[in-house]
Amino acid sequence: MKRFLRIASLCSLVLVFAFSAYGAGEPIKVGFPAILSGGGALFGQPASVGAEMFVREFNAKGGAMGRPIELIIRDCGNTPEEATRVAREIILKEKVDFLVGGFTASQGVALSEVAKTEKVIYIAPVSKTTAMTDPGKLHPYVFRAAANTNTEGRSAAVFMAKHPWTKIATLGPDYEYGQMVTKAFVEWMKKIKPEAQIVHQAWPKLGETDYTPFIAPLLAAKPDAAFLSLWGGHFVTFSKQAKPYGFFEKVKVVAAGEGGSPETGMALKDDLPLGITTNAYDVFYYPDTPEHKSYVERLKAYTKQEYPPSWAITGYISVQFLAEAIQKAKSTDKMKVIKALEGLTINTPIGKQTMRAKDHQATRGQVWGTTAKVPEYPFPILRPVEYIPADDLMD
Amino acid sequence: MPDPSFLLLQSLNGLTYAMFLFLIASGLSLIFGILGILNFAHGSLYMLGAYFTHQFVSLFIDAPGQFWWAVLFASLTVAALGAVIERFFLRHLYAREELYQLLFTYALVLILAEFAKMVWGTGQFSVTRPALLKGAVPILDQYFPTYNLVIIFLGPCIAFTFWFTLLRTRWGRKIRAAALDREMLSSLGVHVNRLFTVVFFIGAWMAGLGGGLVSPVSAIVPGMDVEVIINAFIVVVIGGLGSFWGTFLGSLIVGQVYALGILVFPRLSLAFIYVLMALVLIIRPWGLLGRPLQR
Amino acid sequence: MSKENWILLLFILLLLGIPLTESRFYVFMGTDILILGLFAVSLNILLGYTGLVSFGHATYFGIGAYTCALLMKKASVPFPLALAAAAALGAVSALVIGFFCVRLTKVYFAMLTLAFSQIVWAMAFKWNSLTGGDNGFVGVPFPEFLDSRERFYYFTLGVVAVSLFLLHKVVNSPFGRILTTIRENPERTEFIGIHVKLFQLVAFMISGVFAAMAGALFGIFNHSVFPDILFWPASAEVLIMTLLGGIYSFFGPVVGAAVLLFVRMQVTSYTEHWPVILGFTLAFLLFFFPGGIMGFLQARFARPGGNR
């Protein structure tokens, strides 16, 4: 085993030397730490696939200034500690100047720190917490292509306020993301509908396997509606456990955390609660624009999946921002690329996105809709569905 | 807040959770009591029980009693795996210090977790409840899921059956004797090694059953092995390693502390269980119902 | 000079020379290995020398890291003082926790160390206002006089070298010999009049102090401190490192740390299945090389009447 490793590392050294002696057409290396293991892999893996697809298409068109982009994808684990270590290894070993990746809110904060000390440009495709871009935490090297917790929480409040519900409960995972998005929801709710009351707040830990001790107290407070912020597998578990209590009939739910993703619909199938309002980053059936349709077809072909994953778009757009910024700056000099990124508007498959100069956040809205069973697909989807833009809700 | 029907409901929730824990922890306790090994990989066996159940459910599409057959086959598969591990690997470490056995089971955790990832990927799975048990039972003025109620009764029944078979039959007596004095028993002509394999088989079977039965209630995701093993450890420590009733008591306590602790200190419930574990280890290290060890 | 001392000198020269390679990466790896090596050696005081299996050693590492980082960031305490405070807090917590743990043996000892480590972890995870909660703690300031990577590396090398020197003195002293006697047979040692529990407790404290120092260095090195360094797999990881290197050798754990970090770095470049490789390596080790790498080497190159 050791011998194999020694030979393998020797070979890799040779390859590295060979590559670096290449000269012009030398690839632009972009580190991509992604969650490829554990609970977050459900979303981390498609995100990296989306990035890969973009890079392939971009390089086929000639790359930036004739140079192809090379993605260095590594498993960053589920914790910020691992993400930090992996990111630093990539930066120091592969000598990358650009980093795209991380997943959970804590990882976003951690990688932002790494970007600051190692002075590399970091674009966060998924981490939503506003803590990364708040004044005092913001620094020139960090950018966010994801939506932020303000946008998400407030969009949910907007939906909630459309209905005559006044007694509201919240249930969210007790960590950075859950706390921030719930806070955004509650504050906006108080602002746009002062008569609404928060009658109960439940805080299961992230990764809770048994939500039943939280369900009963919430139901006992007799709310009209609830704001949930569980995501991925956590949402799946919660739905299954809550269903027999008649939870979704008793309480109207507005859920952040991308419960409307086709991935979740396919995992839950008949157990997905119908009639709840939730969101997703991208759904393959909306919008009907030519760019989006083409993107979905390409994604289908690339992933060989009938119903392509919704998380791929996060990796896709993030790398797109970076690639086009490099093109605009006509250089890989970090300062120039930063300037190019600020205020950059790109045409993504879901429409135009702009990276705001003032706080390095993209005007990333999300798709919101109501879950329903439809004859066209073997799993529930969002119908009706609309895109809520972020512009007014971000600050 | 103290609305009696709601408190009762909360308590029942705690009880359901306690029963799942009990299934897993009793297997753990059995293996420790008889073989002297603290099996870190017990959580992994539980996880595999869930994954295999999901697999068999898709295999037995539309068969009557599909879910229960799947659980049976899945748990037997896990039990067989456990027997293989004991027979070909663990057995060779009995002569060594406990550290080696402990670390080997930890190595198993790493290997089995990766194996699950390689076979089933990193996606999340769910198993639908058996049709008969999909509904809920009215209790006072709340509803309690039927399936959970069934578990509350089924869990202990299964564990009781195993343990009392083990303890009241001839096999059972041999096994208990083996725990006390291996050499003596073996010199009396008993196949101690085979006994140990059987015990491991049974312990693994219980873990697999726990995993199978929990699959309609919880998402099957990577990471469920680590989560459950820590809780199982806490249960057996509180109750007493190697004591059946202790494990039962420990599960009840942990389940209730969990369910009711959320009402009292909603955001500290995480630490409670560990504090309880530490307290027991400090005041009464052999657990509430365990036997004081010969130091 | 004996053969071992020559090898040691060679290593020291090699370590001194690493920054001269101008590779930021090697300096990074080197610092990481030194810090974790110290951590592993501190564990081995308990494991290899006293025979106590601690499954919660990450506690002191974490306490050291958080203490030093918090003092420097929130209270602007100068680095040397923060480092000393980290060591002191490591000693105190080891004293308190150790007091309860040494009353137990074997599995129960291990379980209690695990329980305490989870409690400390839960505290760090939840106490948002103090520790930053699950987000951890970023932006740990670099001490001014060490603001370059290379200088920090030399400083770490210095601290680790001095620590190892002190620990080496400890294990080769009469105190150290009593520890190994306790490891071999606690009852008999008690019979000859040694207060076994007291010695175990002191060993616990010593290992806690140096683990805390390693942790403090790590916090600065990483510019951030996360609760994961307190979570129980971190304790398992340092156990594996120690075992890999060899628990019956003083420098074994350092070798183990170096090999593990290096292999992990290489393997993760090629595959995401590092955990399974780690698992197999560990199993392999347990079955065939219980003495670890150093044990294997010493058996191969043992001189008659071999020594440590």
Side-chain angles (χ1 to χ4, degrees):
Chain A
M1 172 66 110
K2 275 195 201 143
R3 202 139 145 260
F4 166 70
L5 284 174
R6 235 183 286 152
I7 296 178
S9 40
L10 259 159
C11 289
S12 65
L13 264 167
V14 170
L15 276 166
V16 164
F17 281 129
F19 247 103
S20 50
Y22 212 80
E26 194 184 302
I28 303 173
K29 294 203 237 181
V30 177
F32 197 90
I35 294 195
L36 298 173
S37 59
L42 179 72
F43 296 154
Q45 208 265 342
S48 57
V49 164
E52 278 177 340
M53 187 171 101
F54 174 81
V55 165
R56 208 168 71 153
E57 292 169 359
F58 185 75
N59 291 344
K61 290 190 224 145
M65 306 148 339
R67 295 169 66 183
I69 292 189
E70 186 190 323
L71 273 184
I72 302 178
I73 301 181
R74 295 268 188 283
D75 185 3
C76 67
N78 283 277
T79 63
E81 167 68 31
E82 250 180 287
T84 307
R85 180 175 55 79
V86 168
R88 289 176 82 191
E89 271 175 22
I90 300 177
I91 294 171
L92 293 175
K93 184 162 176 244
E94 311 287 342
K95 301 204 198 348
V96 301
D97 287 326
F98 309 104
L99 207 62
V100 176
F103 189 94
T104 66
S106 338
Q107 285 180 332
V109 173
L111 289 182
S112 172
E113 180 68 22
V114 171
K116 186 163 132 191
T117 47
E118 305 292 340
K119 300 199 181 8
V120 300
I121 295 181
Y122 169 56
I123 301 185
V126 177
S127 312
K128 288 192 185 130
T129 170
T130 46
M132 282 164 63
T133 48
D134 278 341
K137 295 276 183 43
L138 182 64
H139 58 87
Y141 293 95
V142 67
F143 292 86
R144 188 212 312 279
N148 71 16
T149 45
N150 279 349
T151 315
E152 213 183 0
R154 293 174 185 178
S155 310
V158 166
F159 273 102
M160 197 67 101
K162 285 190 191 161
H163 298 269
W165 309 320
T166 51
K167 289 169 42 185
I168 316 234
T170 70
L171 188 146
D174 196 6
Y175 83 111
E176 176 77 16
Y177 166 71
Q179 292 156 2
M180 298 298 284
V181 78
T182 306
K183 182 162 156 248
F185 168 79
V186 166
E187 284 172 357
W188 201 250
M189 201 66 202
K190 289 211 170 91
K191 183 166 158 191
I192 59 177
K193 195 166 192 176
E195 64 272 24
Q197 285 181 306
I198 308 291
V199 297
H200 183 83
Q201 293 205 286
W203 296 106
K205 71 176 195 282
L206 178 66
E208 182 61 70
T209 45
D210 186 11
Y211 290 98
T212 48
F214 298 93
I215 294 174
L218 194 150
L219 288 176
K222 300 206 196 327
D224 301 316
F227 171 67
L228 302 180
S229 47
L230 299 168
W231 48 272
H234 317 303
F235 179 70
V236 170
T237 309
F238 176 80
S239 302
K240 287 209 288 186
Q241 292 175 356
K243 200 155 189 222
Y245 289 89
F247 185 89
F248 296 100
E249 286 82 39
K250 294 200 183 114
V251 177
K252 302 294 171 212
V253 165
V254 175
E258 289 86 33
S261 312
E263 288 94 316
T264 310
M266 286 190 272
L268 274 171
K269 294 215 196 54
D270 288 328
D271 283 335
L272 184 73
L274 300 174
I276 65 170
T277 306
T278 180
N279 63 357
Y281 260 116
D282 176 38
V283 288
F284 58 84
Y285 43 86
Y286 173 87
D288 237 0
T289 61
E291 297 92 34
H292 189 249
K293 274 201 161 125
S294 148
Y295 165 78
V296 171
E297 286 309 309
R298 286 170 359 232
L299 191 59
K300 258 195 201 170
Y302 190 75
T303 59
K304 302 200 196 1
Q305 283 175 19
E306 166 100 43
Y307 305 112
S310 64
W311 284 81
I313 195 124
T314 58
Y316 190 95
I317 293 184
S318 309
V319 183
Q320 186 180 0
F321 263 118
L322 182 66
E324 294 201 15
I326 295 177
Q327 259 179 340
K328 182 169 158 200
K330 296 207 196 344
S331 144
T332 53
D333 173 77
K334 283 177 261 190
M335 286 300 143
K336 292 195 183 146
V337 175
I338 290 178
K339 279 214 82 67
L341 266 171
E342 291 173 346
L344 179 65
T345 302
I346 59 176
N347 280 317
T348 73
I350 52 164
K352 285 198 197 306
Q353 294 278 309
T354 308
M355 184 66 81
R356 306 202 309 192
K358 66 169 180 175
D359 60 2
H360 288 196
Q361 294 191 79
T363 50
R364 183 77 166 90
Q366 285 187 295
V367 173
W368 285 83
T370 314
T371 52
K373 252 194 170 145
V374 294
E376 300 98 286
Y377 303 109
F379 51 87
I381 63 166
L382 294 176
R383 181 174 291 181
V385 65
E386 58 180 304
Y387 176 78
I388 307 282
D391 310 72
D392 302 319
L393 301 169
M394 280 177 71
D395 299 301
Chain B
M1 181 189 63
D3 168 21
S5 68
F6 153 64
L7 272 179
L8 178 64
L9 201 68
Q10 198 65 346
S11 229
L12 283 174
N13 282 328
L15 212 56
T16 318
Y17 185 57
M19 286 311 127
F20 282 122
L21 274 182
F22 177 55
L23 269 175
I24 301 148
S26 45
L28 189 70
S29 186
L30 180 67
I31 291 176
F32 182 80
I34 312 282
L35 277 71
I37 295 178
L38 194 61
N39 185 20
F40 254 114
H42 220 66
S44 316
L45 295 173
Y46 164 85
M47 176 176 77
L48 286 176
Y51 270 117
F52 277 125
T53 304
H54 157 79
Q55 197 63 46
F56 283 118
V57 160
S58 5
L59 231 59
F60 298 158
I61 293 276
D62 292 333
Q66 161 197 34
F67 174 72
W68 303 105
W69 283 116
V71 171
L72 184 65
F73 274 96
S75 53
L76 283 174
T77 313
V78 171
L81 179 66
V84 164
I85 292 173
E86 193 279 338
R87 169 80 181 75
F88 292 106
F89 298 102
L90 220 40
R91 181 176 297 191
H92 298 288
L93 291 176
Y94 287 154
R96 305 269 196 84
E97 294 165 32
E98 270 110 38
L99 172 65
Y100 292 95
Q101 295 156 12
L102 208 61
L103 282 179
F104 176 69
T105 60
Y106 183 71
L108 276 178
V109 172
L110 296 173
I111 296 173
L112 292 174
E114 209 56 30
F115 165 72
K117 230 182 73 174
M118 289 196 264
V119 173
W120 288 287
T122 49
Q124 58 199 24
F125 296 110
S126 61
V127 169
T128 29
R129 288 159 206 255
L132 266 168
L133 301 176
K134 271 199 175 157
V137 167
I139 298 208
L140 298 188
D141 62 340
Q142 304 268 13
Y143 281 95
F144 190 66
T146 319
Y147 185 79
N148 294 26
L149 209 58
V150 168
I151 293 295
I152 291 180
F153 290 111
L154 199 57
C157 287
I158 296 175
F160 284 162
T161 317
F162 277 131
W163 268 77
F164 283 113
T165 312
L166 220 51
L167 263 46
R168 296 278 180 227
T169 61
R170 249 178 73 205
W171 271 84
R173 274 184 276 131
K174 282 190 209 163
I175 289 174
R176 278 184 298 150
L180 292 172
D181 197 337
R182 262 170 236 190
E183 279 133 37
M184 181 57 116
L185 201 66
S186 140
S187 61
L188 287 173
V190 176
H191 283 281
V192 174
N193 283 344
R194 220 183 284 162
L195 274 179
F196 282 0
T197 311
V198 168
V199 167
F200 207 92
F201 179 86
I202 292 174
W205 193 356
M206 292 208 265
L209 268 179
L213 289 174
V214 91
S215 59
V217 173
S218 169
I220 306 175
V221 279
M224 62 191 287
D225 50 352
V226 167
E227 164 91 35
V228 85
I229 193 65
I230 290 287
N231 287 339
F233 276 175
I234 296 175
V235 165
V236 296
V237 161
I238 292 178
L241 279 159
S243 156
F244 176 69
W245 290 110
T247 312
F248 190 68
L249 187 60
S251 325
L252 287 178
I253 292 177
V254 171
Q256 294 305 317
V257 166
Y258 208 61
L260 300 174
I262 292 186
L263 300 177
V264 182
F265 287 115
R267 297 171 85 158
L268 286 178
S269 49
L270 192 63
F272 265 179
I273 310 272
Y274 300 124
V275 172
L276 196 55
M277 180 183 184
L279 278 174
V280 169
L281 279 170
I282 290 170
I283 300 172
R284 211 185 146 88
W286 49 90
L288 294 171
L289 295 180
R291 269 167 288 124
L293 350 131
Q294 315 92 314
R295 298 284 193 83
Chain C
M1 262 209 295
S2 68
K3 188 158 143 205
E4 268 119 18
N5 284 347
W6 274 114
I7 296 181
L8 200 62
L9 191 64
L10 193 67
F11 263 113
I12 294 182
L13 287 173
L14 219 74
L15 289 172
L16 282 169
I18 284 186
L20 300 173
T21 63
E22 300 272 309
S23 161
R24 283 160 70 198
F25 181 63
Y26 284 133
V27 172
F28 171 73
M29 283 294 283
T31 321
D32 211 4
I33 289 175
L34 283 172
I35 292 176
L36 291 175
L38 177 62
F39 183 35
V41 171
S42 77
L43 173 64
N44 206 27
I45 302 291
L46 277 180
L47 183 62
Y49 287 94
T50 321
L52 292 170
V53 179
S54 166
F55 238 98
H57 209 58
T59 315
Y60 314 102
F61 189 79
I63 287 179
Y66 270 106
T67 309
C68 184
L70 282 171
L71 283 175
M72 284 182 67
K73 177 142 191 208
K74 296 218 171 150
S76 305
V77 172
F79 180 54
L81 216 64
L83 190 60
L89 207 61
V92 168
S93 45
L95 176 63
V96 171
I97 294 177
F99 174 74
F100 294 111
C101 292
V102 298
R103 293 157 78 220
L104 305 173
T105 53
K106 302 206 178 174
V107 158
Y108 297 92
F109 174 83
M111 303 274 284
L112 190 55
T113 57
L114 181 63
F116 272 116
S117 97
Q118 282 299 95
I119 293 174
V120 175
W121 169 79
M123 276 167 55
F125 194 77
K126 283 288 178 179
W127 204 340
N128 279 13
S129 49
L130 182 67
T131 63
D134 62 292
N135 245 10
F137 193 88
V138 295
V140 178
F142 237 50
E144 276 145 28
F145 61 98
L146 289 177
D147 65 357
S148 85
R149 224 181 289 276
E150 287 75 27
R151 280 205 213 145
F152 188 73
Y153 170 77
Y154 281 123
F155 179 75
T156 307
L157 182 56
V159 170
V160 171
V162 168
S163 307
L164 289 182
F165 177 73
L166 287 172
L167 282 171
H168 196 252
K169 279 254 172 286
V170 165
V171 301
N172 283 329
S173 69
F175 173 77
R177 295 207 198 292
I178 293 181
L179 289 183
T180 44
T181 320
I182 293 177
R183 179 192 73 204
E184 296 302 318
N185 197 331
E187 287 91 15
R188 199 179 273 184
T189 319
E190 191 83 48
F191 276 156
I192 61 175
I194 307 278
H195 194 330
V196 166
K197 302 259 174 269
L198 185 63
F199 276 83
Q200 285 176 331
L201 185 57
V202 175
F204 208 95
M205 281 177 68
I206 293 177
S207 82
V209 165
F210 286 100
M213 283 187 55
L217 288 170
F218 187 74
I220 311 275
F221 171 62
N222 227 17
H223 304 287
S224 45
V225 184
F226 301 108
D228 326 320
I229 57 177
L230 286 163
F231 201 48
W232 66 270
S235 295
E237 195 178 76
V238 68
L239 265 176
I240 295 176
M241 270 182 213
T242 313
L243 207 72
L244 177 65
I247 62 176
Y248 295 118
S249 139
F250 182 76
F251 286 108
V254 183
V255 172
V259 169
L260 195 74
L261 283 178
F262 185 71
V263 171
R264 175 174 68 187
M265 193 256 310
Q266 291 291 70
V267 170
T268 49
S269 317
Y270 298 109
T271 166
E272 45 205 55
H273 297 301
W274 162 244
V276 81
I277 294 183
L278 179 65
F280 274 115
T281 311
L282 178 60
F284 194 68
L285 208 68
L286 292 167
F287 277 102
F288 302 116
F289 295 108
I293 294 175
M294 290 303 277
F296 172 69
L297 288 175
Q298 277 168 347
R300 264 330 262 303
F301 301 116
R303 290 173 289 177
N307 59 10
R308 262 241 194 112

